[in-house]
Amino acid sequence: MDGTMLPRLEELSKEYKNSKFFPIDTKKNPEVSGEFLVFVTPVLIIYYDGIEIMKKVRFFSISEIKSEIEKFLEKIL
């Protein structure tokens, strides 16, 4: 995750009170890459109740992520 995206994702995670945010450096933790099938970075994976609901690789915007989260929440709430 580049230096500009990480703080913006941390801010976004604060908008969702029951969320947990875990940035992981796959170069320092290569076993995580295999476990989560991460082949390129940056990658953002979002889970809900242990199920992957979104995976974004390389190029994504905060507004795109927020929009997709909101659409998902509308469906389940």
Side-chain angles (χ1 to χ4, degrees), residues 44-55:
L44 172 69
I45 306 171
I46 297 178
Y47 287 85
Y48 180 81
D49 279 346
I51 299 169
E52 183 180 309
I53 61 162
M54 183 188 317
K55 188 174 202 173

Side-chain angles (χ1 to χ4, degrees), residues 10-74:
E10 289 172 335
E11 277 301 308
L12 179 64
S13 73
K14 291 175 185 175
E15 292 183 33
Y16 302 95
K17 300 298 179 200
N18 293 321
S19 69
K20 295 178 183 169
F21 180 71
F22 302 100
I24 300 170
D25 184 338
T26 57
K27 290 179 183 171
K28 292 180 182 175
N29 301 287
E31 68 281 356
V32 174
S33 295
E35 184 177 342
F36 291 97
L37 303 175
V38 173
F39 303 108
V40 295
T41 58
V43 62
L44 172 69
I45 306 171
I46 297 178
Y47 287 85
Y48 180 81
D49 279 346
I51 299 169
E52 183 180 309
I53 61 162
M54 183 188 317
K55 188 174 202 173
K56 296 290 181 184
V57 180
R58 287 248 168 125
F59 305 105
F60 50 87
S61 70
I62 296 297
S63 59
E64 174 187 4
I65 300 302
K66 187 172 182 171
S67 174
E68 290 191 36
I69 290 171
E70 292 300 323
K71 286 178 189 175
F72 176 78
L73 292 174
E74 284 174 12

